[in-house]
Amino acid sequence: MTAIRRRFKSWIRTATKRAGVSISSTRSVRSYERHVEGIVAEFEQYYVGASRCGLNSNQQRARLMTRLLGTNIIEALHIAGALQSTRSLPGDVCEFGVAQGATSALIANEISPTDKMLWLFDSFQGLPAPTEKDRLIDDIFGLGTMAAYEGTMACGKDLVLERLSEISFPQDRTRLVEGFIEKTLPAITFDKGVSFAYIDLDFYLPIQLALNKCHAFSRPGAVLIVDDYGFFSDGAQAAVDEFLGEHRGKYAVQKHHGPTGHFAVLARTA
């Protein structure tokens, strides 16, 4: 049994227990997993039809979306749609803040038919120390203060690599950058540019650094999606709003804050 399956089963058991449902056998867990995947697939079809976004069909997408933690289905579909819209645009694909790698697998699956490189950035030591611009607005773990979150949410890189291996994403197209990006990102150059980036770094400073780096290596048509806009730490919103203020007229912006998720989509126009 892989680590991925063990974690997914644990998630299923927790979710069903909260709903008052008991699942005791492996067969029941697999049946429930297929049931959830079916619901996600149906929602995907409805969303694509209702939004007329033209998202192509993908056999693995629904299964990978059922495994996401912290990224809801609406945001996942925006990620998939942005990756499709930027497929023909020159440039690599980045994810800043990889955690357990569930979103990494979704992204990798979408770009698998292309020759794009996948850059994955994470400290693998948990969250960094917050700055004065990181104010706690959603105490998701009930820790009481923003400072108490330093070092939380740490995941191992082996799980990320396992998820990519499970979908047969080529190792030679993966660049895993380990360490806090304040130290690792300055030395990185994207020779082919950046066509898409998913930024899930929670705090002001790393988000600011990632946005500025991607802007320096992107061109019109590129898409940047920033998670947790207006959620958890208000540093995420501060970083995005400051960035847009510095680059007025260069991005078309969609901001989601509510039932559809907490994220901002920045599509470069100039």
Side-chain angles (χ1 to χ4, degrees):
M1 182 185 299
T2 66
I4 293 174
R5 186 169 294 279
R6 287 196 298 272
R7 287 186 178 225
F8 186 78
K9 287 181 178 179
S10 175
W11 177 83
I12 289 292
R13 292 184 192 280
T14 300
T16 53
K17 183 177 180 180
R18 290 176 178 173
V21 178
S22 176
I23 296 179
S24 58
S25 69
T26 299
R27 182 174 298 177
S28 297
V29 171
R30 289 175 179 170
S31 176
Y32 189 82
E33 180 180 340
R34 287 194 296 270
H35 176 65
V36 173
E37 183 179 332
I39 293 173
V40 171
E42 285 189 24
F43 180 83
E44 178 189 351
Q45 292 176 6
Y46 171 80
Y47 174 84
V48 170
S51 65
R52 300 180 181 179
C53 64
L55 187 63
N56 66 348
S57 62
N58 187 295
Q59 292 183 342
Q60 294 199 83
R61 185 182 295 135
R63 179 176 62 84
L64 293 171
M65 286 196 297
T66 63
R67 298 181 174 186
L68 295 174
L69 297 172
T71 303
N72 71 19
I73 296 173
I74 294 293
E75 186 174 5
L77 289 170
H78 273 80
I79 291 171
L83 287 165
Q84 181 170 309
S85 70
T86 57
R87 182 173 290 187
S88 61
L89 188 71
D92 295 337
V93 167
C94 302
E95 182 184 12
F96 296 90
V98 174
Q100 80 283 28
T103 309
S104 307
L106 176 70
I107 293 172
N109 178 62
E110 297 294 334
I111 66 171
S112 186
T114 74
D115 61 354
K116 291 180 179 292
M117 297 294 300
L118 177 60
W119 291 79
L120 302 174
F121 296 84
D122 202 290
S123 70
F124 297 105
Q125 301 173 51
L127 293 178
T131 68
E132 67 279 0
K133 291 196 176 184
D134 293 298
R135 182 174 59 89
L136 185 63
I137 54 178
D138 290 285
D139 194 358
I140 56 178
F141 291 164
L143 300 184
T145 67
M146 194 81 264
Y149 280 87
E150 182 178 357
T152 64
M153 305 185 195
C155 297
K157 62 182 177 181
D158 289 344
L159 180 58
V160 178
L161 296 174
E162 185 178 347
R163 287 184 185 274
L164 296 179
S165 176
E166 187 187 49
I167 63 169
S168 301
F169 190 76
Q171 292 185 7
D172 61 357
R173 287 174 52 199
T174 305
R175 298 289 182 269
L176 188 63
V177 183
E178 181 177 0
F180 291 108
I181 69 166
E182 295 92 324
K183 295 182 178 180
T184 62
L185 195 56
I188 300 294
T189 57
F190 302 104
D191 294 336
K192 296 182 179 180
V194 173
S195 61
F196 172 87
Y198 180 57
I199 303 172
D200 185 10
L201 292 169
D202 299 286
F203 289 172
Y204 170 82
L205 180 58
I207 294 174
Q208 179 197 52
L209 293 172
L211 284 171
N212 288 331
K213 190 75 169 187
C214 290
H215 178 78
F217 285 91
S218 67
R219 63 180 69 184
V223 178
L224 314 177
I225 297 182
V226 183
D227 191 36
D228 295 324
Y229 182 88
F231 181 74
F232 180 40
S233 161
D234 66 355
Q237 181 171 337
V240 170
D241 290 350
E242 286 184 17
F243 175 80
L244 292 174
E246 293 170 359
H247 302 285
R248 294 187 184 280
K250 294 185 179 180
Y251 288 88
V253 185
Q254 297 179 42
K255 297 176 181 179
H256 296 256
H257 186 66
T260 59
H262 303 271
F263 61 99
V265 181
L266 284 58
R268 186 161 184 177
T269 57

